[in-house]
Amino acid sequence: MVDAVRTQVAIIGAGPAGLMLAHLLNASGIASIVVDNRSRADIEATIRAGILENGTVDLLVASGASDRVLTDGHRHDGIELQFEGEGRRIDFRQLVGRSVWLYPQHEVLKDLLARLLADGADIRFEHEAGLVTDEDTDTPKVVGRDAAGTPFELVADFVIGADGSRSIARTAVVGSQTGGYFREYPFAWFGILCEAPPSAKELIYANSANGFALISQRSDTVQRMYLQCDPDMDPASLSDAEIWDALQSRVSGTALKQGPIFQRDVLRFRSFVAWHLQKRRVVLIGDAAHTVPPTGAKGMNLAIHDVRLLHRGLESYFAGEGTGLVDRFEQVALKRIWRAQHFSWWMTSMLHVAADATDFDRRRQLGELESVTASAAGSTYLAEAYTGWPAEELG
Ligand SMILES: Cc1cc2nc3c(=O)[nH]c(=O)nc-3n(C[C@H](O)[C@H](O)[C@H](O)COP(=O)(O)OP(=O)(O)OC[C@H]3O[C@@H](n4cnc5c(N)ncnc54)[C@H](O)[C@@H]3O)c2cc1C
């Protein structure tokens, strides 16, 4: 028999969604326990998203989660769309008066963990949640095991599934781990990290007849770049020289600064939204609720927006106002989630070249890029979506 631990909010997953929620709850005086199956070192070494919307940065700074985003992050006031060898800048500040920040996800996680642990938060590393039970009651439970195999049980007023795209909490909400709207894409990104100076000041999204490429930055000495590839590609199958040739052929308008490649990975593209985001007192947020292809840089930003909304609902509940606002979470969160799904799909389809694309498809795609970049209305839509729409409110 396991001794159950009682808390107000049990959070599965110490990614951006779970940690940010724990941080905001802490600031509101609401107790939570976070469990993650990985160690702190593993979590802090996760190389993933890098672009933060204006609203995400505002929340990180205003809530005291991160000052470093402003000192160590880089403000980007635009991006370049490159096609037919020519770059066209989308000037965010001029079009919508907003910017984005380049600040890698693992730095956000380091900041959140440092702050939470300094504030005495209860974060249990190497604790694997196996199941969420009692989802039809007012006291749902999380059961699992720690790294030594010792079982644990958390009983809470709310259980939050912030456990990423392979969420186990999803089963308690929609009846299976895969229940949702789903789309798979016929290509993926081959990503590299390399030691080199930046090749450009801002991100370059390049559409070429050879496929898509993204030239992104990490710091003055480390760069992140991506190539459109086959989802089944073996990351070891290309030599460094072949990678540089492929990148350069797709970004012919910019001379790339090369350097040693020290990390390679293949990132498959999926769009997913769970059938439902909540069942009574079990709620899904972040990648557990939805996944987007990375072309629109929306993954981590959507997760933080979910947190902002849900925190407001939980604050209202623990202030004695009942579950009214929490119960509105799904309906309100889904508005932004589907806008972001559309934007991510649109950027992906406009910039990538399908293996079966006809000449007509190719010319139509170039026409679309011309329409977006030559028109203030087209560029403004892109700038508005990329930098992030205004936050939704629960009511
Ligand atoms: C390889 C990769 C590359 C990406 N690159 C980009 C990018 O370039 N741009 C972009 O915008 N987005 C990118 N994303 C998406 C972005 O990183 C995610 O949207 C973001 O991490 C979502 O945060 P989250 O907290 O919801 O989930 P996650 O960051 O996935 O965190 C979930 C946490 O839950 C833990 N967990 C899972 N299951 C359990 C369990 N059973 N018990 C306990 N703990 C558990 C995991 O260890 C993890 O720490 C990428 C995603 C991946 C997978």
Side-chain angles (χ1 to χ4, degrees):
M1 186 73 186
V2 187
D3 282 340
V5 178
R6 187 75 169 81
T7 187
Q8 290 178 302
V9 183
I11 300 172
I12 310 171
L19 291 178
M20 190 66 189
L21 181 62
H23 167 63
L24 294 182
L25 291 174
N26 217 12
S28 306
I30 300 166
S32 69
I33 297 176
V34 183
V35 291
D36 199 291
N37 52 16
R38 295 185 297 156
S39 66
R40 180 178 179 184
D42 276 357
I43 291 170
E44 291 186 341
T46 314
I47 303 290
R48 286 193 182 173
I51 293 289
L52 304 185
E53 291 174 1
N54 222 128
T56 303
V57 172
D58 289 348
L59 188 63
L60 285 171
V61 174
S63 69
S66 173
D67 294 331
R68 284 203 309 139
V69 62
L70 297 179
T71 53
D72 297 12
H74 297 271
R75 195 181 92 184
H76 283 204
D77 294 337
I79 56 170
E80 183 174 304
L81 295 187
Q82 206 177 98
F83 54 101
E84 298 202 291
E86 203 185 294
R88 305 271 183 95
R89 184 162 187 261
I90 307 288
D91 186 329
F92 297 154
R93 284 201 89 72
Q94 195 182 59
L95 291 162
V96 293
R98 297 200 294 268
S99 304
V100 294
W101 269 257
L102 186 80
Y103 189 63
Q105 179 164 331
H106 64 280
E107 299 296 341
V108 175
L109 293 174
K110 280 186 202 167
D111 293 345
L112 280 167
L113 281 169
R115 179 63 207 255
L116 279 159
L117 294 171
D119 289 345
D122 190 341
I123 304 176
R124 303 182 183 197
F125 299 105
E126 300 181 66
H127 276 58
E128 168 118 16
L131 206 60
V132 174
T133 68
D134 298 66
E135 66 273 19
D136 291 319
T137 74
D138 284 346
T139 49
K141 289 186 189 140
V142 181
V143 293
R145 288 182 185 276
D146 68 14
T150 311
F152 69 83
E153 186 174 308
L154 307 177
V155 182
D157 294 283
F158 291 90
V159 167
I160 311 305
D163 49 343
S165 56
R166 298 205 174 94
S167 169
I168 59 102
R170 215 180 270 149
T171 305
V173 176
V174 296
S176 78
Q177 262 185 287
T178 53
Y181 306 91
F182 179 71
R183 181 192 175 106
E184 182 131 35
Y185 295 78
F187 36 73
W189 277 4
F190 177 47
I192 59 159
L193 277 168
C194 64
E195 283 169 34
S199 295
K201 284 198 178 126
E202 295 174 340
L203 272 67
I204 301 174
Y205 288 79
N207 167 298
S208 83
N210 295 339
F212 170 78
L214 171 60
I215 307 304
S216 162
Q217 306 80 17
R218 272 288 135 101
S219 68
D220 291 343
T221 52
V222 172
Q223 311 310 320
R224 182 93 165 124
M225 303 186 192
Y226 300 91
L227 280 171
Q228 176 185 341
C229 71
D230 188 276
D232 296 320
M233 177 183 171
D234 172 4
S237 64
L238 288 184
S239 68
D240 284 15
E242 285 168 327
I243 294 170
W244 286 115
D245 282 352
L247 280 166
Q248 189 61 76
S249 76
R250 296 174 190 203
V251 195
S252 55
T254 303
L256 295 179
K257 295 184 178 146
Q258 302 184 9
I261 294 169
F262 63 89
Q263 188 179 309
R264 309 150 166 244
D265 45 46
V266 170
L267 171 60
R268 284 168 173 260
F269 275 32
R270 295 193 172 103
S271 299
F272 174 83
V273 181
W275 296 128
H276 289 287
L277 308 191
Q278 59 193 111
K279 182 166 187 191
R280 202 157 165 165
R281 287 165 178 246
V282 182
V283 185
L284 303 176
I285 56 174
D287 277 16
H290 43 73
T291 318
V292 285
T295 327
K298 285 280 158 268
M300 179 166 49
N301 294 297
L302 262 191
I304 298 295
H305 186 266
D306 291 349
V307 169
R308 180 200 289 268
L309 280 180
L310 183 60
H311 167 249
R312 177 73 197 94
L314 293 172
E315 231 183 7
S316 160
Y317 172 79
F318 287 107
E321 294 166 6
T323 58
L325 284 194
V326 178
D327 292 342
R328 280 182 53 72
F329 169 77
E330 170 168 328
Q331 189 194 349
V332 177
L334 280 173
K335 284 189 203 166
R336 191 185 191 91
I337 291 166
W338 280 109
R339 286 177 94 176
Q341 286 291 358
H342 169 73
F343 178 66
S344 305
W345 168 87
W346 175 66
M347 286 283 280
T348 301
S349 63
M350 178 169 68
L351 290 163
H352 293 71
V353 179
D356 59 356
T358 61
D359 280 352
F360 175 85
D361 296 332
R362 178 85 195 112
R363 281 162 201 275
R364 185 207 57 75
Q365 202 176 41
L366 293 171
E368 186 175 11
L369 282 158
E370 188 65 36
S371 293
V372 170
T373 54
S375 133
S379 304
T380 303
Y381 167 68
L382 198 159
E384 202 175 58
Y386 196 95
T387 57
W389 304 284
E392 304 283 345
E393 298 296 338
L394 282 184

